Every structure is written in structure tokens, then in C-alpha cells.
Amino acid sequence: MRKDVRILLVGEPKVGKTSLIMSLVSEEFPDEVPLRAEEITIPADVTPERVPTHIVDYSEAEQSDEQLYQEISKANVICIVYSVNNKKSIEKVTSHWIPLINERTDKDSRLPLILVGNKSDLVEHSSMETILPIMNQYSEIETCVECSAKNLKNISELFYYAQKAVLHPTGPLYSPEDKEMKPSCIKALTRIFKISDLDNDGILNDNELNFFQVRAVFFSCLHTHTQTCFNIPLAPQALEDVKNVVRKNMSDGVKDNGLTLKGFLFLHTLFIQRGRHETTWTVLRRFGYDDDLELTQEYLFPLLKIPPDCTTELNHNAYLFLQSVFDKHDKDRDCALSPDELKDLFKVFPYMPWGPDVNNTVCTNEQGWITYQGYLSQWTLTTYLDVQRCLEYLGYLGYSIIQEQESQTAAVTITRNKRIDLQKKQTQRSVFRCNVLGARGSGKSGFLQAFLGRNLARQKRIREDHMSYYAMSTTYVYGQEKYLLLHEVLPDFEFLSEADLACDVVCLVYDISNPRSFEYCAKVYKKHFLDSKTPCVIIAAKSDLHEARQYYSLSPLDFCRKHKLHPPQMFTCNTDEAPSKDICTKLTTMAMYPHMTQADLKNSTFWLRASVGATVFAVLGFAMYKALLKQR
């Protein structure tokens, strides 16, 4: 909402503009009325909407046309005052004032107008018959108020309606000509309905209606006498009243004793038609929308400062929320999201955020559908690589509303500085990055895909334009589940950036069948990692092929001995079953314990403890996975 409201009063001389302002301020009709009242500011704490309001008077006798134009450009709403007993002042509304205001305002930014019929105490009849055609002709006119500065009739209401026209405008929501909500409003409310439909059955049941009511302030005025309820669950009878109103007006608004999307939209149309569009605006703003029915930058991108050498991860509550979103859309309960289920999940987004490369970044089932583990891995990857994008995505899903948080930043944990981890020789992080380097054709992409459980035969089915330079999945070290992010770095030796080198562990891959493949690994290590504290592992890929003698001064094994590295790790993805993940467990362990010497890491007992823990917890994890599936 706006931080303040500026109201300008215009109209013909002697219609009572200044008297209206003075009667509002002093709560009595003034004996003497100056040509023009000074600008007054009504403090936020005495206005119904808790927003400071500036009221500006205009006098033809004291002000030039240029001053009038300046005031029009600064105003948020303009009250055109006429005298109900003066036909000429009414005619001037359409012949002079509305055209003048429209000429001086941007066509794209609609300035709301209020027609004010003053001096109602002097006549017994109403001017509404004359005014209604004018209101129908100009959509920018929000409402018309008849009042009396002398009798103090409708004075407070006049300025309340003016304030309301700015804070809760009808224009973006409703088309008076068509007598229906505008498409942008329907789109926004449809997203809100889908977020509030916690079980995704297309109906808001009583629990979901109460959940929505408490968070968004709803159903405030189905009858004119109904009090607005803020954050109070609806009584059972009130819920029935809501549904009965819908039933009386449409046949498909209520289903299985719950509110359908059509019923939900009908209720909001009813609110707007009854002049209570502040109810709809309250809902829209709570779900992040601005006056143009776009999600605000503040809502989508809340401020989150990340200190240097720190990383970003999702916390436990965020994973629980994402799990509930997955469960909500996994209709067939197969623990994977089909293309249709994924499309349904992202209907609350303005665009499809995941492209085909995501299916080759995380784990999928045999059909190529993203599994539950793969789904959480992709969210973890986005949080780690681009936390602002993650906050945006969580905003579309309504995280802060569902979780009752100030913003999506409550979902993110900022890890402590990596140097502190090294000093304390322990880490609290759950996500580790491994940069994978090697010459072209060395087997880097195959290594990434093998981490996702894909052998060479499955990898050959992947389209080249759907390939990913990332692979994200879980490993277990000493019984702790950790995420390992493999990042394939393009082999431009002379142009490796700091981002290409910044990681927790380095993986140097060479093709044992290519005699020139190892040289790249040796050069990269000597130039960038020889004096680095980042652990390095050399991988002898394509180990199912004949091993060629490398055209380098040292053999890979001798090179590792000279630089006190772990011996080259033999690897192939040309297997009948899913390739082994043992190397990835080692990489994660080295990333977790970078302070450990290479001698410690060579110790077979150390690796036995780590890998046994991985095996046990993988089995336990699968058992728990099946148990959860049964419960669901």
C-alpha cells in the first residue's frame, strides 16, 4: 500500500470546497470562509486505513492555471465538487473538469475521481439521476457522494472514500461496463486459490477456508451489517452462510460442501459489486500483489545479505514445506512428478522455471520423471547457486503465507565462513561443491550422470541440448546425509575464473585410453591447486577401456605420489547396473574434512567407516522412504 495519500479538491467557485475541508478539521461549519484553505495533513493514527492523508484545496482566485496543473500531477485522487442546487456547476464536471484532468494525467496511470455533491441541505431532491449517467460514461469515477458542509453530513465519508479510491481502487479489479472482474484480477485470485487449496483437490474445504481466513482476512462483508474479522477463524455457521450465498447464485460454486474456484471468484465479484473491494485488496496484498496486480519486488526478492565465503542452504522447515508441495501434486503417489503433475505444481508461477536440463541435473525414475529426491536436490541446488531465484520461487508458492513468516528469507540458512570451519576442523554445512575439470572427451559429463545413477546406455538417450553442467544428489558420510553438487567446468585452461576454481573439493578427470588426456589435469593442478588448501582427487575415467601410456613426464600414479595425492580413482559408467557412487562418497568426505592430511585420507579404515555408514543409511533411507509412501 501507499505510504501516504494526496487528495485534491477542485470545482467551480462558491461550490463549497474550502468549507468541506474546514468542516472536516473543526467539526463545525465555519462562520468565515477564506478563499482557499491551507494544505492540511491528517496523521495516520486518526485515519481508517492508518495512512497519512494530505488534503489540498484549489482556488481559481488565488492560483494560476500552472499551479493547478502542478497540483493535478501530484494528486493521488481528485474530488470534483459541485453544488447540488447549481446546474451549471454540474455541467462543468463533464464540460471542463474531467477533460482538463485527463489532459494533464498520464493515460497509462489511471487517476481516480470522486464526484462530490455539496450543499445537500439546500434541496430536498437528490442529484443522483443527473450524476449516474456521468459515472457510467467515465470509468475513472470511483463513486459519488452527496454531502453538506453546513450540516456535517457525509464529510468524513467523503474523505474516506477518496482515501479508499487510492488504497483500494476498483479499476484494476473490475470492469463496470462488462460487470465482471478483469482478467488480471482473475489470474491473481486463481493463484491465491491454488495456494490455499492445501490438498489440491480443487475445493476449499472448511479447514482450508479457515486457514485462508486467518492468513488473508476474508469473508468480511457478505452482509452489510457483518463486522470485518481479522485473523479469527470463522464459526461453522458463518462458513455455511458463505456457502449458501454462493449456492443461491450459481450451481457449480459449491462442491462436496467446499468452495470451488468459480465460487471463490464469485464471492470476490460480490464484494467488489457491494463496494467492499478493500476485502479483495487485503487478500491480494497479503499474497504479494501491488496496485497493478503484479507481485512486488519486495515480496519476491526480500533483502538477504550473504557475507563473503558463506553459502546458502534450505533449513528444516523449508524442506518440510517443499515436501508438502510435492505431496500435494504427486497425485498417483509414485514419489515422482510426471510432466502433467510438474506443470500443475508450477501453475502458480508466471513462467515454467524448470527446463528439460533439470531432468539431467537431478535423479529421475526410469520414465525420466523427477523423483522426490531429485525434486529436493533441485531446490537445494537453486538455493546454493542462486538464492535470490530460490526466494522468488518460494514467493510464487506462497511460502511466507503458508508458513506464517515475514518473508521467504526464513527458509534460508546462511552458513558460517569457510575459514572458521577450517579452524574448528568441523562444519555444519549440508551442501558441498565439487568442480569437475578435465580435457574435452575425458568423461566429465559421464561422471556427472553416473552420480545420478545413469549408466552409459541411459546416458546415450539424453539429447545434447538437454545436457546439464551440474549434477546434484545426496551421499552419506558417517551416517550423515549430505548434498554433493558436481559442476562440470568447461576446459578453457587459460580462462578459468575464480568461480570455476571456488569449491570444496576438486575432481580432475582424464581418459585412460587417450594418451594426451592426463596432461591437462597435471597442468591445471600445478597452476591452480598446487598451493591450494582445496582437496583434489584424480579420476581415471573409462576404466573399462585399454589403458594407454600417458604422454606426460610422470605417470598419473607417480604424479599423485609426488604431490601427495590419493592414487587415481578408477571409474567407468559402462556398466549393466547403475554405476558405483563410492567416489562421490569420498569426494563428499574430503569436502567435509579438508583439514585431514592425504595420509589420513589414504587410510583404508577411514574409507571403510565412511562407506559402511553410507551403505547403512542408504538402506535405512530406502526403508523409511517406503514407510512414508505407505502412510501417504
Side-chain angles (χ1 to χ4, degrees):
M1 283 177 57
R2 290 181 178 273
K3 293 182 178 178
D4 61 358
V5 173
R6 190 173 182 86
I7 303 171
L8 172 65
L9 274 69
V10 299
E12 294 301 293
K14 305 293 183 181
V15 293
K17 301 183 295 295
T18 308
S19 298
L20 287 170
I21 297 171
M22 296 184 72
S23 293
L24 175 73
V25 174
S26 62
E27 296 185 350
E28 60 180 9
F29 186 69
D31 294 329
E32 293 184 12
V33 181
L35 289 174
R36 176 173 172 264
E38 294 294 322
E39 178 181 327
I40 65 164
T41 298
I42 303 174
D45 57 356
V46 296
T47 64
E49 299 293 340
R50 304 294 179 191
V51 176
T53 301
H54 311 282
I55 301 175
V56 181
D57 193 10
Y58 163 70
S59 169
E60 186 179 305
E62 286 199 352
Q63 291 174 286
S64 65
D65 288 347
E66 189 57 41
Q67 287 174 310
L68 171 61
Y69 302 154
Q70 287 178 4
E71 288 298 346
I72 289 172
S73 67
K74 290 191 288 184
N76 302 128
V77 57
I78 297 179
C79 296
I80 304 176
V81 184
Y82 64 90
S83 175
V84 293
N85 65 341
N86 184 332
K87 287 185 179 180
K88 186 179 178 182
S89 70
I90 297 175
E91 290 169 3
K92 283 281 189 176
V93 170
T94 53
S95 65
H96 175 69
W97 289 109
I98 293 179
L100 173 68
I101 293 165
N102 287 339
E103 282 174 18
R104 296 290 162 180
T105 54
D106 187 355
K107 290 180 181 178
D108 294 329
S109 58
R110 176 183 174 279
L111 186 65
L113 305 177
I114 306 288
L115 300 187
V116 181
N118 192 24
K119 304 187 181 181
S120 63
D121 58 292
L122 298 180
V123 296
E124 294 183 1
H125 63 274
S126 171
S127 63
M128 284 301 172
E129 281 190 21
T130 309
I131 295 300
L132 279 174
I134 299 173
M135 292 181 66
N136 291 331
Q137 183 181 353
Y138 297 96
S139 61
E140 58 266 42
I141 299 174
E142 284 284 322
T143 190
C144 175
V145 184
E146 288 192 343
C147 57
S148 168
K150 187 171 185 178
N151 292 348
L152 307 183
K153 178 187 173 184
N154 288 341
I155 303 298
S156 298
E157 287 80 357
L158 153 64
F159 291 102
Y160 169 68
Y161 287 132
Q163 189 186 57
K164 184 175 166 181
V166 178
L167 302 178
H168 309 298
T170 309
L173 306 181
Y174 188 76
S175 170
E177 296 88 353
D178 301 324
K179 293 184 170 54
E180 60 183 32
M181 278 195 293
K182 291 187 174 179
S184 56
C185 183
I186 292 172
K187 182 181 176 182
L189 290 173
T190 300
R191 169 181 167 265
I192 291 168
F193 179 90
K194 282 191 67 66
I195 290 171
S196 305
D197 182 12
L198 301 177
D199 58 9
N200 199 31
D201 64 351
I203 299 167
L204 295 185
N205 59 39
D206 287 0
N207 289 334
E208 289 165 341
L209 284 171
N210 262 322
F211 181 87
F212 177 77
Q213 150 77 4
V214 168
R215 281 150 187 76
V217 188
F218 188 41
F219 303 138
S220 60
C221 55
L222 288 171
H223 307 286
T224 53
H225 63 271
T226 304
Q227 295 281 321
T228 302
C229 296
F230 291 88
N231 297 330
I232 301 169
L234 291 165
Q237 187 55 49
L239 284 169
E240 282 306 308
D241 289 346
V242 167
K243 286 180 277 191
N244 285 334
V245 168
V246 177
R247 284 190 187 101
K248 286 177 184 176
N249 288 274
M250 59 193 321
S251 58
D252 52 355
V254 177
K255 180 183 176 183
D256 297 333
N257 204 36
L259 208 59
T260 66
L261 174 60
K262 285 186 176 180
F264 182 77
L265 295 175
F266 165 76
L267 277 177
H268 279 284
T269 304
L270 191 63
F271 294 152
I272 296 165
Q273 288 174 341
R274 293 189 177 182
R276 295 300 301 264
H277 34 283
E278 67 269 20
T279 304
T280 300
W281 274 116
T282 301
V283 171
L284 290 165
R285 289 190 174 119
R286 179 66 187 93
F287 279 80
Y289 289 94
D290 62 14
D291 287 353
D292 298 317
L293 297 184
E294 298 287 343
L295 290 170
T296 67
Q297 293 295 295
E298 293 80 8
Y299 173 79
L300 289 177
F301 304 103
L303 184 64
L304 182 67
K305 292 183 179 178
I306 317 293
D309 289 329
C310 297
T311 58
T312 45
E313 301 177 0
L314 293 169
N315 58 34
H316 178 66
N317 287 334
Y319 280 118
L320 289 178
F321 170 77
L322 291 171
Q323 179 185 334
S324 71
V325 173
F326 184 95
D327 289 344
K328 175 177 172 177
H329 294 89
D330 182 17
K331 290 286 191 180
D332 54 10
R333 296 291 184 257
D334 63 347
C335 289
L337 294 175
S338 68
D340 286 341
E341 288 171 341
L342 199 63
K343 187 178 178 182
D344 185 46
L345 190 155
F346 289 127
K347 274 184 179 175
V348 294
F349 284 57
Y351 56 88
M352 184 64 178
W354 292 0
D357 61 309
V358 173
N359 295 59
N360 300 310
T361 303
V362 297
C363 292
T364 59
N365 63 14
E366 288 294 328
Q367 294 164 286
W369 301 350
I370 295 172
T371 62
Y372 173 68
Q373 181 190 350
Y375 164 84
L376 292 182
S377 295
Q378 179 61 25
W379 277 100
T380 305
L381 173 106
T382 306
T383 309
Y384 184 90
L385 293 179
D386 189 352
V387 70
Q388 287 299 323
R389 183 66 57 87
C390 174
L391 295 176
E392 178 192 357
Y393 290 175
L394 288 172
Y396 293 137
L397 290 174
Y399 177 84
S400 60
I401 295 106
I402 301 297
Q403 297 297 107
E404 300 180 78
Q405 299 290 341
E406 284 292 318
S407 73
Q408 298 88 272
T409 57
V412 177
T413 295
I414 300 173
T415 65
R416 69 186 179 190
N417 192 298
K418 194 175 174 181
R419 282 174 293 180
I420 298 174
D421 284 352
L422 288 168
Q423 290 168 7
K424 293 184 177 290
K425 297 183 178 181
Q426 61 178 4
T427 183
Q428 298 169 332
R429 290 189 294 152
S430 298
V431 184
F432 299 92
R433 177 172 178 153
C434 172
N435 282 355
V436 181
L437 296 96
R440 293 188 189 280
S442 59
K444 301 185 298 297
S445 298
F447 180 66
L448 265 68
Q449 291 302 310
F451 181 40
L452 304 177
R454 294 166 192 152
N455 60 17
L456 189 60
R458 279 190 69 185
Q459 291 180 31
K460 286 180 177 178
R461 299 200 296 264
I462 300 173
R463 283 175 48 173
E464 191 173 340
D465 58 334
H466 290 177
M467 287 297 288
S468 172
Y469 290 114
Y470 294 96
M472 182 73 137
S473 191
T474 54
T475 62
Y476 290 88
V477 178
Y478 289 127
Q480 299 177 61
E481 184 185 57
K482 301 294 179 182
Y483 281 95
L484 179 64
L485 167 60
L486 300 181
H487 174 216
E488 179 183 343
V489 179
L490 293 175
D492 294 325
F493 179 76
E494 299 299 329
F495 301 101
L496 291 176
S497 65
E498 282 189 27
D500 292 331
L501 303 172
C503 57
D504 301 302
V505 62
V506 174
C507 190
L508 299 170
V509 182
Y510 76 97
D511 175 2
I512 68 165
S513 67
N514 181 348
R516 299 190 180 279
S517 186
F518 179 71
E519 184 181 12
Y520 180 89
C521 296
K523 285 184 176 179
V524 167
Y525 178 80
K526 289 171 73 173
K527 181 174 181 180
H528 297 290
F529 300 107
L530 184 61
D531 299 317
S532 167
K533 291 182 180 179
T534 306
C536 292
V537 174
I538 291 179
I539 293 190
K542 306 183 185 180
S543 61
D544 58 304
L545 302 178
H546 175 72
E547 185 171 4
R549 185 177 179 277
Q550 295 294 317
Y551 294 163
Y552 187 70
S553 57
L554 293 172
S555 70
L557 181 59
D558 290 337
F559 182 88
C560 291
R561 284 172 179 164
K562 179 181 178 180
H563 295 290
K564 298 179 181 178
L565 297 173
H566 206 64
Q569 304 292 297
M570 305 301 284
F571 170 79
T572 180
C573 57
N574 191 8
T575 57
D576 293 332
E577 302 297 327
S580 170
K581 290 187 180 182
D582 287 350
I583 293 176
C584 292
T585 301
K586 290 183 179 182
L587 291 169
T588 311
T589 308
M590 294 173 77
M592 287 177 66
Y593 304 105
H595 58 279
M596 297 189 75
T597 64
Q598 292 298 326
D600 292 329
L601 292 171
K602 288 179 187 177
N603 188 308
S604 59
T605 308
F606 175 86
W607 291 116
L608 183 64
R609 292 200 306 269
S611 61
V612 167
T615 305
V616 169
F617 272 80
V619 172
L620 282 173
F622 184 69
M624 291 175 68
Y625 188 66
K626 288 177 72 177
L628 281 171
L629 184 58
K630 275 188 177 180
Q631 282 185 346
R632 290 164 54 199

